[in-house]
Amino acid sequence: MKLFEFQAKDAFRQCSIPVPNGVLVESPEEVSSALQDICLPCVIKAQVLQGGRGKAGLVKLVKTNDEAKEYARFLFEEKGVRRVLVEDAVDFKDELYLAITVDATKSKAVILACAEGGVDIELLATTAPEKIVTQMVDLDQGLSGFHLRNTAFGLGLVGDRAKAFNKILSSLYQAFRKFDAELIEINPLFLTDGDLFLAGDGKLIIDDNSMSRQPGYEVTRDHYEHEVEYQAALAGIPYLQFDGDISLMCAGAGLTTTVFDLINYAGGTVANYLEFGGPNYTRAVDAMELCLKNTRAKVILIVTFGTVARADVIAKGLADAVARFKPSIPIVTCIRGTNEEEAFEIIRSLGLTPLSETEEAVQRAVDIAAGRAS
């Protein structure tokens, strides 16, 4: 679960990582009262789960009350932002990057640091990987002094500045473990004139498997760009919405991504990724309901292949969905696996043609979406 910046900074505070003074507001009117506690100039930040907020015009340094109110109004009313963080501007002399994530292949935590903070770290990793300092940490043994010293040395920090940085890194590792993080990141990590470090921005992603140990964080509409994505998340069905016109309804993440690629190779576009495999394979009705809520879709393409996930059960679920929703857009099916013959009979009873080849089903869906078939 990805947290908003204000939530990440609250986690930082709990682990003694300094952050700028800030107030969370939920309307343009609340900005005036927030400015009584925040010094000008200040920074107005949209609280959205989107990378590159600065480049997208969702973060701005403002110098007057009127400018702050007008920019907050812009975010709330024109950008549809629900929450805004009003925060003290920081007078800094340098910016660093610091993060801890998981190296799943080695079952270890990895510290990532760079003396050039405030930049697109993924791009820097491609163009100048030698600038990124990495330290692997055994999760059982934990953070040791040599991890701290090696990281600080790699960043060119010495003396009191290195000691101050080591406190930040120790606290960040504490937060990484406390919140069961997949990723915890400070970018930029401000270095002030007084050689103090301050988290200018914060990112914290909690491992979904540990959410039962992390009370207080709930999935909200703000976590998703589209309403259907939010409804799918509440239903426990993996769903992503795109701009294409072929609605995918597949069982198995690997098969779904393969079909996604085949659609693109065939010249089609995907309206949504929906995967109802595993324990969800009996939930064709719920899956179909989500697909039908995507108004971009011109055709629904169902592709499954299962052993435990029986073909006849999926087909029966499809029949129930058709009976309930009476979809007005075409449906293409390629449902195979255990009890395939029974599944084909159910599909034929719906007036649909059961297909056995994924490539044929994909091409048919692409042709329907393009108006070359019906």
Side-chain angles (χ1 to χ4, degrees):
M1 181 181 189
K2 185 183 292 185
L3 303 188
F4 294 95
E5 177 191 0
F6 74 90
Q7 293 175 310
K9 286 185 170 174
D10 181 61
F12 290 173
R13 290 189 192 95
Q14 293 181 44
C15 295
S16 302
I17 298 173
V19 300
N21 183 36
V23 177
L24 186 69
V25 300
E26 298 184 350
S27 70
E29 293 73 25
E30 291 181 9
V31 174
S32 296
S33 57
L35 290 173
Q36 296 176 10
D37 300 320
I38 302 298
C39 300
L40 290 168
C42 68
V43 184
I44 308 291
K45 298 179 167 183
Q47 295 303 285
V48 295
L49 296 176
Q50 174 182 333
R53 286 178 300 166
K55 293 179 181 176
L58 298 174
V59 175
K60 185 178 182 180
L61 176 69
V62 296
K63 298 180 179 179
T64 67
N65 285 12
D66 289 343
E67 191 180 2
K69 294 173 186 174
E70 176 56 28
Y71 184 63
R73 185 205 60 77
F74 164 75
L75 291 177
F76 281 113
E77 298 179 4
E78 297 187 32
K79 289 292 186 180
V81 171
R82 296 168 187 256
R83 287 175 289 198
V84 162
L85 186 60
V86 183
E87 198 171 70
D88 282 342
V90 177
D91 186 13
F92 62 92
K93 61 181 178 183
D94 209 350
E95 296 176 286
L96 290 77
Y97 173 91
L98 181 61
I100 304 174
T101 186
V102 177
D103 186 328
T105 62
K106 298 179 180 176
S107 301
K108 292 185 177 180
V110 55
I111 299 168
L112 301 169
C114 181
E116 298 180 14
V119 299
D120 187 341
I121 197 70
E122 290 84 2
L123 178 61
L124 189 66
T126 302
T127 58
E130 71 280 1
K131 293 183 178 179
I132 299 177
V133 180
T134 62
Q135 285 289 296
M136 305 299 294
V137 180
D138 187 294
L139 290 166
D140 292 329
Q141 298 179 9
L143 193 69
S144 297
F146 74 89
H147 295 119
L148 303 174
R149 290 190 294 274
N150 287 351
T151 307
F153 179 79
L155 295 174
L157 301 173
V158 296
D160 291 341
R161 195 174 294 180
K163 292 178 182 177
F165 173 81
N166 289 345
K167 288 183 180 178
I168 295 293
L169 178 51
S170 296
S171 296
L172 193 68
Y173 187 79
Q174 178 190 346
F176 171 75
R177 297 308 305 264
K178 178 177 179 178
F179 293 97
D180 297 310
E182 288 182 356
L183 170 69
I184 189 163
E185 177 186 276
I186 304 175
N187 187 30
L189 175 62
F190 290 132
L191 175 62
T192 69
D193 284 333
D195 281 346
L196 298 176
F197 287 98
L198 202 66
D201 197 357
K203 183 182 292 183
L204 176 54
I205 302 175
I206 298 174
D207 186 338
D208 288 340
N209 296 306
S210 69
M211 291 310 298
S212 61
R213 301 194 307 198
Q214 302 294 338
Y217 299 111
E218 296 180 355
V219 171
T220 68
R221 175 64 181 84
D222 291 352
H223 286 83
Y224 299 91
E225 184 175 353
H226 301 285
E227 176 65 24
V228 185
E229 291 182 342
Y230 175 51
Q231 294 176 12
L234 294 178
I237 296 177
Y239 179 98
L240 294 172
Q241 187 153 319
F242 303 108
D243 295 330
D245 51 21
I246 299 174
S247 179
L248 276 188
M249 186 173 148
C250 300
L255 180 60
T256 310
T257 51
T258 299
V259 174
F260 188 112
D261 288 343
L262 289 173
I263 289 173
N264 281 282
Y265 295 153
T269 58
V270 176
N272 63 262
Y273 168 109
L274 184 150
E275 193 271 300
F276 71 116
N280 284 334
Y281 88 95
T282 61
R283 302 179 64 192
V285 173
D286 296 331
M288 176 72 76
E289 184 175 20
L290 292 169
C291 287
L292 291 173
K293 287 181 178 177
N294 185 348
T295 56
R296 293 178 180 275
K298 295 179 180 177
V299 55
I300 294 176
L301 172 59
I302 304 174
V303 181
T304 71
F305 186 91
T307 51
V308 175
R310 288 164 38 190
D312 60 321
V313 173
I314 293 175
K316 179 62 169 55
L318 169 63
D320 291 342
V322 169
R324 179 177 299 185
F325 304 120
K326 298 178 174 54
S328 58
I329 60 175
I331 299 173
V332 177
T333 68
C334 184
I335 298 175
R336 297 151 300 166
T338 303
N339 294 345
E340 185 174 284
E341 294 76 11
E342 290 86 342
F344 281 14
E345 286 301 314
I346 294 172
I347 293 169
R348 289 191 187 96
S349 73
L350 299 174
L352 303 175
T353 301
L355 301 177
S356 299
E357 299 294 333
T358 301
E359 290 82 355
E360 181 185 6
V362 167
Q363 189 60 57
R364 181 163 182 76
V366 170
D367 288 342
I368 291 173
R372 297 189 293 266
S374 58

